[in-house]
Amino acid sequence: MCGYEDWAANFCSRFFFLMQSIIAVLLWATVALGQEDASVDRADSRFMATVLARLAQRADPIANIYLNQARVEGLSSLLGQPMSAVKRLNMRLRIAQERVRAGDLRAGIEEMQSVLVAIEAGQVPATEGFVYMLHDQLAIAYLRLGEQENCLQNHTTNSCLLPIRGDGIHTLQEGSRRAIEHYTINLSKRPSDLGTRWLLNLAYMTLGEYPEGVPEPWRIPPRVFDSHSDGIQRFRDVAPVAGVAAVGLAGGSAVEDFDGDGLLDIAVSSWGLLDPLRYFHNEGDGTFTEATTGAGLTGQIGGINLEQADYDNDGDVDLLVLRGAWMGEEGRMPNSLLRNNGDGTFVDVTRRTGLFSLHPTHAAAFADFDNDGWLDLFVGNESGKQPHPCQLFRNQGDGTFVDVAPAVGVNHVGFVKGVAWGDIDNDGLIDLYVSQFYQENVLYRNLGDTSEGWRFGAEVVAPGPNESFPTWFWDYDNDGWLDLFAGGYNMNDLGDMARAYLGEEFAADRAHVYRNLGDGTFNEVTEALGSFGQVILAMGANYGDLDNDGFPDCYVGTGIPDLRSLTPNRMLRNDGGARFLDVTTTGGFGNVQKGHGVSFADFDNDGDQDVFEVMGGAFEGDLYQNVLYENPGHGNHWLRLFPRGVQSNRGAIGGRVRVRVRQPDGSTRDIHHLIGSGGSFGANPLAPHLGLGDAVAVEFVEIIWPATHKAQRWAGLKLDRAYRLREGDPSATEVTLPKFHFATGHNGH
């Protein structure tokens, strides 16, 4: 049932691999021969656009299972060949499945129905398992049809939010009703199939008939969707009215004030080979304008993840696009380093900086590992059938990088999905954590400038899930020591979607949290913290402070490529550093579509962090629109800080912030923050936003600057203000940020 003939698949795969190799050689030759002139910026951007377009054009639909429309065409071309009735039926089903994955749902459903009719008429033999699978495939195709016609084409702010209610209920009900028919047939044969039960209940929700309409033996109790209500108000999705509800596939998000006007803009990627990188400029009136072309980003296509940093210390935050992940050898694609010209326009400087390479890449992170004041870059590559060593690019301080990974002891080879930098032992040397599949996660401890030069030592201090994905360092309990998050991704049984909510045992990898004990070791505290033990299928994820209480919360985007993986994204509120409470339903965050890049940011400058998330899956038809959850406010105080390094890198990435506040009873407490973009899949603004809870005054703000490891303090700062803090300057400069309100709206069609 694979579709193509084995001989054709082998021949074509080898042919395309050869072509990829030839292309790679030609591209490197082009780089070597490239001559810079007065128009080098335009030339470099055109070069990258040409490379990306040619790689997309030459993509192999046999090797790349996500090129679904091309696979439909290839498989369909084989139907004219002589073959047995059984083989022809299998081919037709395979084509139908690819049509569904491509988003051509009605055509795919029609073909599947004809296959089912042929089987029921006895035209070809079929096992009970095959028929069960066919009903399952028809059910998800119909359920997706309902989502396509309602959640996308007639979107409301409650679309796909579990438990579905209000205007999230489908008005066009054919898809869900037909899905229920097929799920009912299957459950009558296998009533213990919990994955099918979960999807059946979801289908009834879309019709407004849950829970009463669900047959009692298959009903999932409503109580499982309850979440804690203390402390978190309901957030509202304002993406449609704000103009950022772009429809796309899996991708990254980077939020930053890219043009220096005091307003946070959004860069969004979508991983389809021809999908454009999109740039949304914040207009300061509650709306964003897409400014992709004006920003010079035309031709920047594809991209699974984004990171940002001021790599050249010019005061403007630059952008890094990561490509090729999940595609194996088809993922030999270049990343793009986009230099910010200071006005919200960008130029591709990948080849001139020495970063051009061809590897499947998902994760990267900036940090100054050698404390010379310039940001270095670790790139985590995915090794599969062929090794793709990770790269540690040292910033030369002249606009170029050089890979020093083997020389410094970071010669890492693995299927890397997340990376994070953080000084875990507070010795002034930033350490590196690598999250990966199939092997234990690795901490590369920074040993400093030894007699053998700068060196790292590898060790396993927190092994993580078997298939470990997003990761980050944070100080969740405000004790001054960086703790660690590592999200799990593997799930072999769709029933685990329900088991995670029902409180039953499940086999899927779950999220792990490790507490730093302050002696160079970590202790796993996942179970002790509560809700993390039920979080599965972590992809995009990040942390921020929803209620400004001074303790970081986190949001986890969920899903796997399988169209049937429909499980809510999860929001966990930090309850004083002692436990995390699931506030998914209370806060309105439980979208069942696949969640990717997550960014916490105060878009409207009203003092609280909103949440932006890139939505959409891997297959071409698994599209969804991005969301922007507006924070309703929770009454606590805050500070926004804009550190400016002098000896340290300009944005002070890797530095540590400590704020001491006085509380109403006269006592004091400290709030800690690691300067950076947060998690490894989705990027927060680099300027720290710190919740201060019910503080009555700020005693002091302290920054430990990353290059010198020296602490500098400022006193006299006020609550609910923004300040610029320059390394070595004893005075803090207050910054006035423009404020606005998002428009009200009901459905945002």
Side-chain angles (χ1 to χ4, degrees):
M1 291 184 61
C2 295
Y4 289 94
E5 299 287 354
D6 289 342
W7 66 268
N10 291 335
F11 172 80
C12 292
S13 293
R14 292 172 181 171
F15 172 76
F16 277 102
F17 179 77
L18 176 62
M19 290 300 296
Q20 286 274 17
S21 301
I22 294 172
I23 293 167
V25 172
L26 292 175
L27 292 175
W28 276 108
T30 304
V31 173
L33 296 173
Q35 300 296 316
E36 295 188 352
D37 55 29
S39 60
V40 65
D41 286 356
R42 292 190 300 275
D44 278 359
S45 293
R46 286 196 301 269
F47 166 80
M48 185 60 76
T50 300
V51 169
L52 295 173
R54 288 178 178 172
L55 287 174
Q57 182 182 17
R58 290 166 170 78
D60 176 9
I62 299 174
N64 189 333
I65 65 171
Y66 303 107
L67 300 179
N68 306 111
Q69 187 55 46
R71 290 168 71 85
V72 167
E73 296 168 2
L75 290 165
S76 298
S77 69
L78 299 177
L79 285 175
Q81 298 179 4
M83 63 184 74
S84 68
V86 171
K87 192 169 186 178
R88 184 173 299 279
L89 181 136
N90 284 335
M91 183 72 74
R92 287 168 53 200
L93 177 58
R94 187 64 179 138
I95 293 170
Q97 291 171 326
E98 292 294 345
R99 288 192 189 279
V100 170
R101 290 174 176 174
D104 189 5
L105 293 168
R106 289 199 177 274
I109 288 170
E110 181 179 356
E111 189 64 39
M112 284 187 195
Q113 290 282 20
S114 69
V115 170
L116 181 60
V117 168
I119 291 173
E120 292 176 338
Q123 297 176 13
V124 290
T127 64
E128 179 183 332
F130 185 90
V131 175
Y132 191 94
M133 177 274 297
L134 187 52
H135 281 293
D136 182 62
Q137 292 291 302
L138 275 164
I140 194 59
Y142 273 118
L143 195 58
R144 287 290 181 173
L145 177 65
E147 292 172 353
Q148 187 180 84
E149 293 180 339
N150 293 274
C151 303
L152 275 174
Q153 297 172 9
N154 294 283
H155 184 80
T156 75
T157 55
N158 288 314
S159 291
C160 290
L161 285 180
L162 213 65
I164 298 168
R165 56 179 66 134
D167 60 5
I169 295 172
H170 292 184
T171 56
L172 301 175
Q173 298 190 345
E174 175 197 3
S176 291
R177 294 212 178 274
R178 295 300 302 274
I180 288 172
E181 293 175 10
H182 290 283
Y183 285 135
T184 299
I185 290 171
N186 275 359
L187 282 171
S188 67
K189 298 175 181 177
R190 301 182 188 177
S192 62
D193 186 337
L194 195 51
T196 298
R197 282 180 58 195
W198 174 266
L199 294 170
L200 176 77
N201 280 257
L202 180 60
Y204 273 107
M205 279 188 200
T206 67
L207 300 175
E209 298 173 5
Y210 171 88
E212 291 81 6
V214 184
E216 196 277 333
W218 303 331
R219 185 182 304 153
I220 291 176
R223 61 172 173 76
V224 307
F225 302 111
D226 294 340
S227 66
H228 291 273
S229 58
D230 295 340
I232 293 296
Q233 305 300 314
R234 190 171 181 86
F235 285 57
R236 176 176 63 109
D237 179 15
V238 297
V241 296
V244 295
V247 175
L249 298 172
S253 62
V255 174
E256 196 62 65
D257 178 8
F258 287 110
D259 57 359
D261 64 356
L263 296 163
L264 293 172
D265 311 304
I266 308 174
V268 176
S269 67
S270 176
W271 91 313
L273 297 184
L274 294 173
D275 292 352
L277 179 68
R278 304 180 74 171
Y279 174 70
F280 295 93
H281 178 259
N282 191 333
E283 298 297 324
D285 60 359
T287 67
F288 291 73
T289 299
E290 183 167 359
T292 303
T293 301
L297 299 175
T298 302
Q300 292 289 337
I301 52 179
I304 185 65
N305 200 1
L306 301 175
E307 288 290 339
Q308 86 270 36
D310 183 1
Y311 83 93
D312 53 1
N313 283 339
D314 66 351
D316 307 312
V317 180
D318 313 297
L319 192 60
L320 178 70
V321 185
L322 304 171
R323 300 186 177 93
W326 299 116
M327 298 181 188
E329 291 308 298
E330 281 287 297
R332 290 175 174 264
M333 298 178 184
N335 303 320
S336 288
L337 179 61
L338 305 173
R339 191 192 68 210
N340 188 341
N341 294 321
D343 56 1
T345 65
F346 299 84
V347 60
D348 193 303
V349 295
T350 309
R351 62 171 176 170
R352 81 175 74 168
T353 57
L355 294 182
F356 188 96
S357 61
L358 297 168
H359 299 288
T361 305
H362 182 279
F366 289 92
D368 180 9
F369 80 80
D370 54 1
N371 291 340
D372 65 353
W374 296 91
L375 286 173
D376 312 301
L377 174 65
F378 180 83
V379 178
N381 296 318
E382 293 180 355
S383 293
K385 293 181 179 179
Q386 299 294 326
H388 292 276
C390 297
Q391 298 153 299
L392 177 55
F393 291 102
R394 173 180 266 152
N395 193 326
Q396 302 290 91
D398 60 359
T400 65
F401 293 82
V402 60
D403 184 8
V404 298
V408 301
V410 191
N411 193 19
H412 188 92
V413 177
F415 197 85
V416 177
K417 298 307 300 176
V419 296
W421 291 96
D423 182 1
I424 68 163
D425 45 12
N426 292 343
D427 65 351
L429 301 170
I430 198 161
D431 310 296
L432 173 68
Y433 187 74
V434 179
S435 172
Q436 59 188 347
F437 281 11
Y438 319 125
Q439 299 168 275
E440 290 184 322
N441 297 344
V442 178
L443 173 74
Y444 287 94
R445 197 182 296 270
N446 193 332
L447 305 178
D449 194 1
T450 71
S451 59
E452 299 176 348
W454 215 279
R455 301 291 295 177
F456 286 79
E459 55 187 291
V460 176
V461 298
N466 180 55
E467 294 187 11
S468 184
F469 201 157
T471 189
W472 62 69
F473 287 108
W474 59 345
D475 189 353
Y476 77 83
D477 55 0
N478 279 323
D479 67 352
W481 297 90
L482 289 178
D483 311 302
L484 178 64
F485 170 92
Y489 186 67
N490 176 57
M491 183 179 73
N492 294 319
D493 182 356
L494 288 172
D496 284 348
M497 295 188 296
R499 294 185 187 97
Y501 265 88
L502 290 166
E504 299 179 4
E505 287 295 320
F506 56 83
D509 283 333
R510 64 196 71 199
H512 291 229
V513 182
Y514 303 90
R515 183 172 182 266
N516 192 329
L517 299 181
D519 59 1
T521 66
F522 291 80
N523 180 41
E524 184 172 354
V525 291
T526 306
E527 295 301 326
L529 291 178
S531 298
F532 280 105
Q534 276 64 55
V535 175
I536 62 174
L537 301 184
M539 295 190 300
N542 215 328
Y543 65 91
D545 191 349
L546 292 176
D547 52 0
N548 279 340
D549 68 349
F551 290 93
D553 315 299
C554 74
Y555 191 43
V556 180
T558 61
I560 53 177
D562 192 328
L563 294 178
R564 299 171 298 170
S565 67
L566 294 168
T567 185
N569 294 238
R570 305 289 286 269
M571 181 69 81
L572 305 183
R573 174 181 172 264
N574 188 337
D575 185 20
R579 60 176 181 162
F580 282 77
L581 306 176
D582 191 321
V583 295
T584 301
T585 302
T586 302
F589 299 108
N591 198 305
V592 297
Q593 299 298 325
K594 298 174 176 67
H596 288 86
V598 173
S599 301
F600 285 76
D602 184 4
F603 289 99
D604 47 5
N605 288 332
D606 65 351
D608 47 44
Q609 289 184 303
D610 314 297
V611 182
F612 179 82
E613 184 178 21
V614 174
M615 307 295 291
F619 295 120
E620 289 176 339
D622 198 1
L623 301 164
Y624 202 71
Q625 62 185 53
N626 299 333
V627 296
L628 172 54
Y629 297 113
E630 180 191 15
N631 195 322
H634 293 81
N636 288 323
H637 296 292
W638 54 275
L639 274 180
R640 182 96 69 89
L641 303 177
F642 295 89
R644 179 176 175 180
V646 177
Q647 289 180 270
S648 300
N649 68 84
R650 183 69 172 258
I653 290 177
R656 303 278 283 278
V657 177
R658 178 167 63 131
V659 179
R660 178 165 293 172
V661 297
R662 190 166 69 251
Q663 303 189 104
D665 63 1
S667 65
T668 62
R669 74 174 176 114
D670 290 350
I671 297 162
H672 294 265
H673 180 82
L674 170 64
I675 301 174
S677 61
S680 63
F681 199 171
N684 299 338
L686 298 176
H689 176 110
L690 297 108
L692 306 180
D694 61 354
V696 296
V698 176
E699 295 284 309
F700 64 78
V701 172
E702 176 184 272
I703 293 181
I704 299 179
W705 296 100
T708 64
H709 198 52
K710 292 181 179 179
Q712 182 178 356
R713 289 185 179 180
W714 293 264
L717 278 63
K718 299 178 181 179
L719 300 168
D720 305 329
R721 299 287 193 277
Y723 292 94
R724 183 167 288 110
L725 306 174
R726 187 174 186 272
E727 186 176 10
D729 189 336
S731 300
T733 303
E734 187 171 342
V735 178
T736 301
L737 299 173
K739 298 181 180 180
F740 63 86
H741 296 286
F742 289 109
T744 59
H746 296 290
N747 53 27
H749 285 187

